Amino acid sequence: MGIVVRTGSAQRKHFPLAVDGFLPASVVVPLTQEARCRCTSTVEPGQVVQEGDVIARPLFSADTDHCALIHAPVPGVVDAVVASELPDGKQDLGIKIRLSGRFSYLGKHTETRDDWQQKNPDALVRSLAQNGVVNTFSTAAPQSLAYDIVQSREKKAPLLLVRLFDESPSRLTDLLLYETFPEAVMRGVAITARALRAHAVALLYDRRHRVPDFSAYADAIPYGAIPVDTRVYPSGLKRALGAFVRSVRTDEPFIHAGDADVYVDVSTMLSVCTAIADDTPVVRRYITVEGDCLPAYGLINVTLGMSIAAVAEQCGGFIRTPTVIIINGLMTGTTTPSLDTPITKSVKSISFLSAHRVYDGRECACIGCGDCRRACPYHLAPDILYEHASGWRRADALLVQSAALCVSCGLCNAVCPARLPIAEFISLLLSRKKET
């Protein structure tokens, strides 16, 4: 494990760069790592596995080619298939592995390979799926990058849009990774662009930080570096980014940026570089760990399947009991009640917050203040959509259809004085409409 420093208060420990951390005695790897594909175990209790072995494959044969496979993050013995809580609060089954034996990848020096530049794009797509790369551009709906690429190829001239900052203002994972590993990130972008057969690449970066250097691959694919004012929220969500690109780049092909293109983040590009250039399956990932309950915080490279409790221990253990544990940021994240929750491929950050940093979350009835309407960047009526979704009052059919414009930015929740879960109910409303 390695830690990239985020400077904290004088009372907190400062980790030196790239500290080797401990490994957990056991891991629990959930069988659900992406939104659209559930996997089934291919191993049995008592079976010996090596780091990087495939331990789960798609449940349905139709997903075999494009679903991200799941690999053993550590060598060891399969203990059992156990009940596991996912970071989003849902329940699932997970494969428990007790650590033992030698590592196949961890601690081994690997030469970065450039033969991907000669590989057929279809072969690259298969490698992305086989090495377990999941696109975490949307942590609420992560899905196999191979699947995203295949779907987008149906567009005549697909674009690759790369977000080099975090969509949630309370999280710095992607920005820190971009600042720390710029060459690996750009290599991942070039690999993904080749797999997609992208017509061009849009590199969207925080205008207060470094301009991305894609010059090493500029001969192979056109690109544009586009600065974004990330102080304006929600600037990093899919629909907002597509509209922004079209507004500032009226030239071909950027003027056609839309939902059918592939949108990726820094974390995914690092996974691509690891999977293709380093020929290593995705078994670890960087997450930011923070909160006033810990004596230290930073960007940590953790083993998938490691529990949240073990991550906290890596940072020195708790100096006070957390009241709330938030996964993936205060605006767009979720809470988990259990310290046993394992790290999955979609986790980017964990916040351990004590009681004095948590507001009174008790709900009351809507007071009709209209704050949610004023806050909504797409001028919806979140209060009415909430009332409809909760079954309290039916809304006009045309107004209900406007829920499709919601980007789940969470601003309605943030400003609601009644502390109603408006965004969650609108998401529920949308999921019901998809089912019918």
Side-chain angles (χ1 to χ4, degrees), residues 29 31 47 53 71 83 85 88 97 99 110 129 134 138 151 176 181 258-259 287 300 366 374 383 395 402 420 436:
V29 185
L31 294 174
Q47 183 174 335
D53 283 355
H71 305 79
E85 183 159 334
D88 62 3
I97 303 173
L99 172 64
T110 57
V134 170
S138 170
Q151 292 295 109
L176 287 173
F181 307 110
D259 288 349
I287 64 172
I300 311 178
C366 174
R374 286 186 286 272
D383 53 335
S402 71
L420 298 173
T436 57

Side-chain angles (χ1 to χ4, degrees), residues 179-200:
E179 292 287 335
T180 307
F181 307 110
E183 293 181 5
V185 171
M186 291 301 112
R187 188 177 295 114
V189 171
I191 294 170
T192 306
R194 180 170 177 81
L196 176 61
R197 300 190 185 100
H199 200 50

Side-chain angles (χ1 to χ4, degrees), residues 301-331:
N301 193 15
V302 300
T303 302
L304 293 179
M306 187 178 190
S307 70
I308 289 177
V311 174
E313 188 177 348
Q314 171 69 43
C315 294
F318 294 123
I319 55 177
R320 54 180 64 90
T321 302
T323 300
V324 172
I325 304 170
I326 300 177
I327 308 292
N328 290 333
L330 304 183
M331 288 298 296

Side-chain angles (χ1 to χ4, degrees), residues 54-271:
V54 175
I55 58 174
R57 293 182 178 276
L59 186 61
F60 303 107
S61 58
D63 294 323
T64 301
D65 291 338
H66 305 133
C67 181
L69 301 183
I70 299 175
H71 305 79
V74 296
V77 178
V78 177
D79 224 9
V81 176
V82 299
S84 173
E85 183 159 334
L86 297 176
D88 62 3
K90 297 177 182 178
Q91 298 293 317
D92 192 22
L93 296 176
I95 302 170
K96 184 176 181 180
I97 303 173
R98 286 184 286 110
L99 172 64
S100 67
R102 296 183 177 181
F103 283 83
S104 305
Y105 301 98
L106 184 64
K108 307 292 176 65
H109 176 72
T110 57
E111 293 290 339
T112 299
R113 301 165 54 175
D114 290 323
D115 58 350
W116 59 267
Q117 299 185 58
Q118 284 73 51
K119 283 188 177 181
N120 180 281
D122 291 335
L124 288 175
V125 171
R126 286 193 296 272
S127 294
L128 291 172
Q130 291 165 2
N131 281 316
V133 178
V134 170
N135 185 3
T136 55
F137 179 87
S138 170
T139 54
Q143 59 186 21
S144 167
L145 179 60
Y147 177 81
D148 278 347
I149 289 173
V150 171
Q151 292 295 109
S152 186
R153 277 181 177 177
E154 297 177 3
K155 183 177 178 179
K156 185 177 180 181
L159 298 176
L160 178 63
L161 294 92
V162 186
R163 186 184 62 211
L164 299 173
F165 55 91
D166 296 85
E167 81 282 10
S168 176
S170 64
R171 192 179 69 229
L172 294 174
T173 309
D174 284 324
L175 180 59
L176 287 173
L177 288 175
Y178 164 56
E179 292 287 335
T180 307
F181 307 110
E183 293 181 5
V185 171
M186 291 301 112
R187 188 177 295 114
V189 171
I191 294 170
T192 306
R194 180 170 177 81
L196 176 61
R197 300 190 185 100
H199 200 50
V201 172
L203 300 171
L204 297 132
Y205 69 98
D206 187 331
R207 69 180 189 182
R208 296 168 293 177
H209 293 267
R210 75 167 78 189
V211 178
D213 181 6
F214 198 64
S215 57
Y217 309 100
D219 292 340
I221 183 169
Y223 79 99
I226 304 174
V228 179
D229 185 359
T230 61
R231 296 171 299 177
V232 179
Y233 181 80
S235 59
L237 301 180
K238 185 174 183 177
R239 188 173 298 151
L241 281 181
F244 179 73
V245 170
R246 294 192 300 271
S247 69
V248 298
R249 292 294 299 263
T250 56
D251 54 321
E252 295 283 347
F254 300 105
I255 187 61
H256 302 296
D259 288 349
D261 295 307
V262 172
Y263 293 73
V264 294
D265 59 342
V266 175
S267 297
T268 304
M269 294 300 91
L270 276 182
S271 293

